[in-house]
């Protein structure tokens, strides 16, 4: 199915079909660049901190989704639809009890309940709903539900001509499979126009939820991809949570990654004087990277202004402290164990070279808003270049070993 065949009920207002922003200070990297410590040009300095700027989802309005049409067109695959305002909830359900909830048009996955060995299910993802006052003040009594957390795409594409956009609005293209074995929902992005084709494929299996991004660049010029697939994993508390398998991985400390759906405590960094150097020096597992020559020494000194870097020496990493790190040589599969809930999840990475990890710390209430660990399959330090006429496949798997 091509984009031209979509019902106009699913397309945004024509005047807003493609939003662009001029890139006046970016330097398009060469595909031959190999420095993993260089900061992505998509970061900008703000109050002496670097943050990746991602356009807000609400900047590209979509017309309401026709839920009756979706039910009629895509029924019989184990997916049901429910309208919520101008949005739509797609619930994928397998007969073994595993379910996933996908929001349209944002593409946000708010829930993944995995079947467990004891016959019940357990929520793997962490999400929260907060009320934001509607402006102007005359409408202050009204409120809009803002859903954060779950699995979201916080990505930014840039062309050589300086055209930049973020995939925020998605249209349902197809559903495959059945409730007995697996269900695959394929979305297509409607923000990029004819520059590139971007598809988002969410697959629910009996023991796994996967998110795959397929970028098809049919133009004659390369396109740069930066950002990450951001996942908030539900835990009892970071105090009871461990990451297994990071020993020997290089890491860089960076300020928390900011996005529309990310959850960051408002007091993040205040408990430790953040000060990444102070935070990391408190951790016994940290050691500086070895310096082999004068040039490398200079590079590490420069990094002290951005945050510390080093090599992970703990293979059973306790996540109780506040931290915001990017690993550049992490294993493709990482196990996260929660002793409080007595379960674990294996997070798999495909296509991305970096792993982003954020812990809000153990200063908050158990099973509360900040009882999560955030992992991101990322291209934040070094963007990915999608060459002309190339197809890029990246993604992540959330594997449930508890069946």
């Amino acid at each position: 199915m091509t984009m031209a065949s979509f019902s106009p009920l699913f397309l945004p207002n024509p005047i807003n079909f493609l939003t662009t922003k001029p890139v006046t200070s970016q330097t398009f990297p060469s595909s031959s660049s190999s420095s993993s410590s260089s900061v992505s040009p998509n970061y900008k300095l703000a109050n002496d901190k670097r943050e990746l700027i991602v356009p807000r989802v609400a900047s590209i309005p979509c017309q309401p989704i026709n839920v009756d049409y979706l039910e009629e067109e895509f029924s019989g695959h184990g997916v049901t639809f429910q309208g919520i305002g101008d949005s739509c909830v797609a619930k994928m359900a397998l007969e073994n009890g595993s379910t996933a909830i996908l929001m349209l048009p944002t593409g946000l996955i708010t829930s993944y309940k995995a079947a467990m060995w004891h016959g019940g299910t357990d929520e793997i993802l962490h999400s929260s709903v907060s009320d934001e006052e509607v402006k102007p003040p005359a409408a202050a009594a009204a409120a809009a539900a803002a859903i954060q957390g779950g699995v979201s795409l916080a990505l930014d594409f840039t062309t050589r001509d300086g055209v930049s956009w973020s995939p925020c609005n998605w249209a349902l293209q197809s559903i495959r499979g059945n409730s007995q074995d697996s269900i695959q929902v394929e979305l297509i992005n409607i923000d990029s126009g004819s520059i590139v084709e971007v598809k988002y494929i969410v697959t629910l299996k009996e023991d796994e939820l996967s998110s795959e991004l397929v970028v098809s660049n049919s133009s004659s010029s390369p396109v740069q991809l930066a950002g990450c697939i951001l996942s908030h994993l539900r835990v009892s508390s970071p105090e009871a949570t461990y990451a297994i398998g990071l020993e020997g991985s290089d890491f860089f400390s960076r300020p928390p990654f900011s996005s529309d759906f990310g959850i960051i405590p408002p007091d993040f960094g205040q408990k430790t004087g953040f000060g990444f150097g102070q935070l990391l020096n408190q951790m016994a597992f940290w050691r500086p990277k070895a310096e082999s020559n004068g040039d490398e020494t200079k590079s590490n000194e420069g990094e002290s202004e951005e945050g510390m870097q080093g090599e992970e020496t703990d293979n059973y990493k306790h996540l109780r402290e506040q931290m915001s790190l990017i690993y550049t040589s992490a294993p493709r599969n990482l196990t996260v164990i929660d002793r409080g809930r007595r379960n674990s999840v294996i997070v798999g990475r495909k296509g991305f070279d970096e792993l982003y990890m954020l812990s809000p710390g153990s200063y908050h209430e158990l099973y509360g808003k900040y009882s999560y660990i955030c992992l991101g399959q990322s291209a934040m330090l070094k963007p990915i270049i999608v060459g002309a006429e190339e197809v890029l496949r990246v993604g992540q798997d959330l594997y449930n070993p508890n069946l």
Side-chain angles (χ1 to χ4, degrees), residues 214-398:
V214 182
V215 181
S216 301
N217 180 15
S218 58
S219 69
S220 58
S221 300
V223 175
Q224 172 185 290
L225 168 63
C228 66
I229 299 178
L230 206 59
S231 299
H232 296 72
L233 304 181
R234 181 187 178 197
V235 298
S236 58
S237 168
E239 176 69 35
T241 307
Y242 299 79
I244 313 301
L246 287 171
E247 184 178 10
S249 301
D250 295 332
F251 66 81
F252 297 80
S253 62
R254 288 292 185 267
F257 182 77
S258 178
S259 69
D260 285 329
F261 300 114
I263 302 176
I264 301 174
D267 62 348
F268 192 92
Q270 298 177 13
K271 299 293 184 180
T272 56
F274 201 67
F276 286 100
Q278 180 178 346
L279 167 63
L280 294 174
N281 285 332
Q282 292 175 352
M283 301 180 182
F285 60 78
W286 178 80
R287 66 166 179 248
K289 295 183 65 176
E291 299 176 0
S292 58
N293 53 54
D295 292 340
E296 187 170 340
T297 301
K298 183 177 181 180
S299 174
N300 286 340
E301 289 176 352
E303 281 296 329
S304 65
E305 300 177 359
E306 298 285 333
M308 300 299 292
Q309 68 182 66
E311 179 181 311
E312 185 65 68
T313 62
D314 194 342
N315 204 46
Y316 200 77
K317 181 180 179 66
H318 200 175
L319 304 180
R320 63 171 175 248
E321 301 289 346
Q322 285 187 346
M323 62 185 73
S324 176
L325 305 173
I326 300 177
Y327 288 88
T328 58
S329 52
R332 289 292 173 181
N333 294 290
L334 178 72
T335 300
V336 176
I337 294 178
D338 179 6
R339 288 183 170 179
R341 298 171 67 208
R342 298 184 179 181
N343 68 359
S344 62
V345 60
I346 300 175
V347 184
R349 187 171 78 256
K350 298 183 293 186
F352 290 104
D353 291 330
E354 304 163 7
L355 173 68
Y356 169 69
M357 177 182 292
L358 180 140
S359 171
S362 304
Y363 314 108
H364 310 280
E365 63 176 323
L366 296 176
Y367 299 98
K369 180 177 180 179
Y370 303 114
S371 296
Y372 70 91
I373 296 297
C374 185
L375 296 179
Q377 319 307 325
S378 79
M380 297 163 66
L381 296 177
K382 181 182 177 182
I384 298 173
I385 303 301
V386 186
E389 307 295 334
E390 287 187 357
V391 177
L392 172 71
R393 291 180 176 269
V394 294
Q396 77 162 14
D397 301 320
L398 299 178

Side-chain angles (χ1 to χ4, degrees), residues 161-203:
D161 298 330
V163 178
S164 181
W165 77 96
S166 295
C168 300
N169 292 288
W170 301 88
L172 181 59
Q173 187 172 45
S174 67
I175 298 179
R176 305 181 185 90
N178 55 66
S179 59
Q180 290 82 30
D181 302 312
S182 66
I183 302 170
Q184 184 178 90
V185 175
E186 182 175 302
L187 309 179
I188 189 166
N189 181 246
I190 54 179
D191 297 317
S192 60
S194 59
I195 300 176
V196 296
E197 181 186 75
V198 185
K199 293 183 178 180
Y200 183 38
I201 303 172
V202 179
T203 304

Side-chain angles (χ1 to χ4, degrees), residues 69-229:
Y69 170 82
L70 295 180
E71 285 281 9
E72 180 180 351
E73 183 72 13
F74 298 103
S75 63
H77 296 278
V79 182
T80 57
F81 301 92
Q82 179 182 354
I84 300 180
D86 292 342
S87 301
C88 174
V89 171
K91 182 177 181 179
M92 310 160 65
L94 296 178
E95 291 184 356
N96 79 328
S98 296
T99 63
I101 294 178
L102 176 66
M103 298 288 294
L104 296 174
T106 63
L108 174 68
I109 303 174
T110 62
S111 172
Y112 169 37
K113 291 185 178 179
M116 293 291 158
W117 59 270
H118 48 66
T121 60
D122 198 4
E123 179 61 67
I124 302 299
L125 300 179
H126 177 82
S127 60
S128 66
V129 178
S130 61
D131 290 335
E132 297 181 346
E133 288 188 352
V134 178
K135 298 180 180 180
I147 302 178
Q148 295 177 304
V151 178
S152 63
L153 302 177
L155 304 169
D156 185 69
F157 288 89
T158 306
T159 70
R160 280 197 181 278
D161 298 330
V163 178
S164 181
W165 77 96
S166 295
C168 300
N169 292 288
W170 301 88
L172 181 59
Q173 187 172 45
S174 67
I175 298 179
R176 305 181 185 90
N178 55 66
S179 59
Q180 290 82 30
D181 302 312
S182 66
I183 302 170
Q184 184 178 90
V185 175
E186 182 175 302
L187 309 179
I188 189 166
N189 181 246
I190 54 179
D191 297 317
S192 60
S194 59
I195 300 176
V196 296
E197 181 186 75
V198 185
K199 293 183 178 180
Y200 183 38
I201 303 172
V202 179
T203 304
L204 176 66
K205 300 179 181 179
E206 291 188 344
D207 57 359
E208 182 181 87
L209 178 70
S210 66
S211 305
E212 183 181 30
L213 197 71
V214 182
V215 181
S216 301
N217 180 15
S218 58
S219 69
S220 58
S221 300
V223 175
Q224 172 185 290
L225 168 63
C228 66
I229 299 178

